[in-house]
Amino acid sequence: MLYVVPTPVGNLEDITLRALRILREVSLILAEDTRTSSVLLHHYDIHTPLRSHHKFNEHETSDTMADLALTQDIALISDAGTPGISDPGFMLVRACVEKGVPVQCLPGATAFVPALVNSGLPCDRFYFEGFLPQKKGRQTRLQRLAQQEHTMIIYESPFRLQKTLEQLAQVLGADRQAAVSREISKVHEDTQRGTLAELIEHFKTTPAKGEIVIIIAGKDE
């Protein structure tokens, strides 16, 4: 069995009792960064062996790990949130499915859900973009977003936030409603709401820190 186990995006208490039990019972935990995951496991006194599984080696290791899951239970975790959502995971799940290995994804933390609900924008239908391309294909992707009628979700680093907001304003219009959430579930959690123009001005004087989720209103019909 392969268990896909969400881990907290901020507060270490944001993990289910089932997830903790699975992490204790499996033979091996595959982690995006073993150093980061060791903090969580140490906090809950979990001593299951760890092995690295990240975007730089998943092409080479997914088949081997899927073969391993044929004979023993293993768990996949990422640094924070649900594996596969803008994190490594898809390739291993696909390899397990192809080899007939049962896969269970536990429900749990995902950064965009609280950011979406907290934005005040419609959340009955939404489009998850994840991280925009940094260079090649970025403008094409932005043009596609301009035609999207559902609320949109973008992940971004604090170092590129200002540039991304400015590009969104140029393509979608500076008066488009949006929200920027950072440090979700952490001590300094914060959400700023307004037009893209207002958000640009805010972050000129208040540099963002931590992981960023941008929520943008869809195009009016």
Side-chain angles (χ1 to χ4, degrees):
M1 175 79 75
L2 169 68
Y3 292 98
V4 182
V5 181
T7 53
V9 297
N11 193 311
L12 290 180
E13 294 178 353
D14 293 339
I15 189 167
T16 67
L17 296 175
R18 182 186 176 203
L20 293 175
R21 176 178 61 81
I22 293 297
L23 293 177
R24 289 191 177 97
E25 292 179 352
V26 295
S27 300
L28 177 67
I29 298 173
L30 303 179
E32 184 179 4
D33 187 326
T34 56
R35 294 166 299 181
T36 300
S37 297
S38 292
V39 175
L40 174 69
L41 299 182
H42 177 75
H43 181 80
Y44 286 105
D45 196 29
I46 296 172
H47 304 284
T48 307
L50 277 172
R51 186 179 300 182
S52 293
H53 183 83
H54 45 70
K55 65 181 181 180
F56 301 110
N57 71 1
E58 62 178 340
H59 291 82
E60 292 77 28
T61 61
S62 290
D63 277 344
T64 302
M65 293 299 101
D67 287 336
L68 186 63
L70 284 166
T71 59
Q72 56 186 287
D73 292 337
I74 63 176
L76 173 67
I77 61 177
S78 60
D79 289 348
T82 301
I85 306 299
S86 292
D87 275 328
F90 159 68
M91 291 185 180
L92 178 57
V93 171
R94 180 177 62 182
C96 285
V97 170
E98 290 174 348
K99 294 176 183 291
V101 176
V103 177
Q104 286 190 9
C105 181
L106 278 61
T110 302
F112 77 77
V113 174
L116 173 63
V117 174
N118 200 34
S119 69
L121 296 171
C123 52
D124 54 337
R125 295 183 179 182
F126 55 88
Y127 175 81
F128 178 73
E129 175 66 27
F131 286 98
L132 288 166
Q134 292 189 31
K135 294 181 180 179
K136 185 178 180 180
R138 187 177 178 91
Q139 283 300 320
T140 300
R141 198 71 62 86
L142 288 169
Q143 292 293 338
R144 290 178 182 174
L145 291 178
Q147 304 304 316
Q148 178 59 245
E149 295 180 353
H150 299 155
T151 302
M152 294 164 279
I153 303 164
I154 294 175
Y155 283 171
E156 193 51 278
S157 81
F159 310 106
R160 294 191 299 268
L161 175 62
Q162 193 70 11
K163 175 184 176 181
T164 297
L165 290 175
E166 291 172 355
Q167 290 177 328
L168 288 167
Q170 291 171 1
V171 178
L172 279 64
D175 59 346
R176 185 74 67 96
Q177 290 291 320
V180 174
S181 291
R182 65 178 187 86
E183 297 286 74
I184 291 172
S185 188
K186 297 180 181 178
V187 174
H188 300 293
E189 178 177 347
D190 176 67
T191 295
Q192 297 295 323
R193 307 172 184 86
T195 64
L196 287 171
E198 290 169 340
L199 292 171
I200 289 169
E201 288 304 311
H202 172 79
F203 287 106
K204 281 182 179 178
T205 57
T206 309
K209 297 180 180 179
E211 299 298 321
I212 303 292
V213 184
I214 307 172
I215 310 294
I216 312 154
K219 176 183 178 184
D220 290 336
E221 295 184 2

